[in-house]
Amino acid sequence: MTVLRPHAEDQYAEELAVLAKDDDRPRPPGWKLSPWAVTTYVLGDGDRITPKYVGARRIVEVAVATLATDRALLLLGVPGTAKTWLSEHLAAAISGDSTLLVQGTAGTAEEAVRYGWNYARLLAEGPSMDALTPSPVMRAMAEGRVARVEELTRMPSDVQDALITVLSEKTLPIPELNREVQAQSGFNVIATANDRDRGVNELSSALRRRFNTVVLPVPATAEEEVDIVARRVSQLGRSLELPETTTGLAEIRRVVTVFRELRTGVTEDGRTKVKSPSGTLSTAEAISVLTSGIALAAHFGDGVLRPADVAAGIVGAVVQEPVSDRVVWREYLETVVRERSDWRDFYRACREVS
């Protein structure tokens, strides 16, 4: 059976091998590639290496340079700015393994960061290394790899603070066995958090000092966002093995324009102010809307992506709060979309599903 979503190190194994073969620059201890090669892998070279992240080169360079030191990396930004995507590819390029992952939620326990126990063996044999269940962080320390912590601010404060000793002392004590696990060369941590979660479980000052924070911005221009969306939609279509669909840039640009105008509160020409809905309307959501639209066009249409195929997805993304967001959407539809003569088919499609 085909894996639905291969890990980055598997999907781009050939590119990583090409970079490793040609990489003659200094590599930090435990790294598979040099910092220069890691950056090239992430941003692409315009030839053999495809871009994984589209954005300012300096942002990626700062992130990579941070991981080459003893400081952990915190990727911060609004939802949909490719924090998880970037962390996965950084781990794949540096360690050759992006799977050492802790998913932060309100229910994440301390064992996810430190270690747990196989209670059957613990009761039968007593405390021992064989009865211990290592966390992804402990495995990363022992193997000299990069551990990933997703949605750090979603985790309870006491679970967050379990990282302090790991990041400052590079060791994880196991008091039950009177021993410790020391981090090997190559170990580091990449954490992600989004701006919308500030105040949920705010990081302590002690933990924040252990991280170097890199803020991932939303795409600066509409053309940049269109490029990102077009690339990811194409990649997802291939990985999901969707039937070939004629996807014009015009439809992608229209979805991106709607999202950007509602997100910023002003139309593209700067002449009309609009209200913003409660949702984030991120680039990731635009990708989802267009991927769903392609599936509709391929399976229930004529194979050409049309306004009717994306209208329902856009309405679903915009109207998160049934009352307030619906008012915002209707006002935008009547005052902005309706007035654009080349958007009449899109206006009719949105009216039908609204």
Side-chain angles (χ1 to χ4, degrees):
M1 295 180 67
T2 304
V3 175
L4 185 59
R5 187 187 183 281
H7 297 303
E9 59 272 20
D10 299 325
Q11 185 174 358
Y12 297 97
E14 291 184 8
E15 293 186 14
L16 291 168
V18 167
L19 284 168
K21 181 179 178 182
D22 299 337
D23 187 15
D24 57 358
R25 300 184 181 231
R27 305 181 187 184
W31 283 38
K32 301 289 186 182
L33 299 172
S34 68
W36 176 86
V38 171
T39 303
T40 302
Y41 166 76
V42 172
L43 295 175
D45 65 355
D47 184 18
R48 296 178 296 176
I49 309 302
T50 58
K52 320 301 181 301
Y53 174 77
V54 178
R57 182 179 184 87
R58 198 59 176 173
I59 289 176
V60 178
E61 290 176 342
V62 170
V64 174
T66 295
L67 294 170
T69 69
D70 64 345
R71 298 268 290 182
L73 173 65
L74 175 61
L75 298 176
L76 185 67
V78 299
T81 47
K83 300 181 295 296
T84 298
W85 183 252
L86 181 56
S87 75
E88 178 184 358
H89 284 286
L90 287 173
I94 292 170
S95 299
D97 185 357
S98 63
T99 65
L100 298 174
L101 172 68
V102 177
Q103 180 61 59
T105 68
T108 300
E110 192 173 334
E111 288 80 2
V113 174
R114 299 177 71 242
Y115 55 85
W117 296 97
N118 180 329
Y119 287 102
R121 299 196 68 166
L122 184 65
L123 292 172
E125 305 169 7
S128 68
M129 287 300 293
D130 291 334
L132 185 143
T133 304
S135 70
V137 175
M138 177 182 278
R139 287 182 53 202
M141 295 176 71
E143 299 169 11
R145 299 181 185 274
V146 173
R148 299 165 54 211
V149 181
E150 290 296 312
E151 302 291 354
L152 180 60
T153 52
R154 287 280 179 189
M155 295 163 54
S157 298
D158 57 331
V159 179
Q160 293 177 11
D161 289 343
L163 285 168
I164 292 178
T165 302
V166 170
L167 298 180
S168 59
E169 304 298 328
K170 308 301 181 188
T171 185
L172 182 56
I174 310 175
E176 296 91 340
L177 302 178
N178 194 28
R179 60 185 299 177
E180 64 183 13
V181 173
Q182 292 184 304
Q184 301 300 303
S185 297
F187 167 72
N188 215 325
V189 173
I190 304 174
T192 67
N194 74 68
D195 287 345
R196 291 294 181 100
D197 283 344
R198 282 184 176 176
V200 175
N201 289 302
E202 194 65 46
L203 300 183
S204 66
S205 58
L207 182 57
R208 187 174 286 276
R209 286 198 306 272
R210 270 69 180 183
F211 284 101
N212 186 31
T213 301
V214 173
V215 178
L216 299 187
V218 296
T221 66
E223 289 305 315
E224 185 177 304
E225 189 162 3
V226 167
D227 181 45
I228 294 170
V229 172
R231 289 175 185 272
R232 284 295 294 140
V233 167
S234 177
Q235 291 171 351
L236 283 171
R238 288 195 300 270
S239 66
L240 295 172
E241 298 185 10
L242 291 174
E244 286 293 328
T245 303
T246 303
T247 309
L249 278 179
E251 214 57 59
I252 295 176
R253 187 172 285 108
R254 181 147 45 191
V255 172
V256 169
T257 298
V258 171
F259 275 37
R260 288 181 70 88
E261 289 181 337
L262 288 171
R263 193 166 63 214
T264 59
V266 65
T267 54
E268 201 171 32
D269 57 11
R271 295 179 180 177
T272 307
K273 290 185 177 181
V274 298
K275 296 176 182 177
S276 296
S278 60
T280 56
L281 299 182
S282 65
T283 307
E285 288 168 295
I287 292 168
S288 177
V289 167
L290 284 157
T291 304
S292 297
I294 289 173
L296 280 171
H299 294 298
F300 302 105
D302 58 2
V304 178
L305 186 66
R306 301 186 186 280
D309 299 318
V310 299
I314 287 182
V315 175
V318 173
V319 183
Q320 299 290 319
E321 293 289 338
V323 178
S324 59
D325 288 348
R326 192 170 296 279
V327 172
V328 170
W329 172 243
R330 285 178 176 170
E331 184 176 314
Y332 175 78
L333 203 59
E334 298 300 328
T335 60
V336 177
V337 176
R338 186 180 182 181
E339 299 303 315
R340 292 173 174 163
S341 58
D342 55 338
W343 282 36
R344 287 174 182 169
D345 51 351
F346 178 72
Y347 171 75
R348 287 193 297 269
C350 290
R351 283 275 298 181
E352 288 179 7
V353 298
S354 295

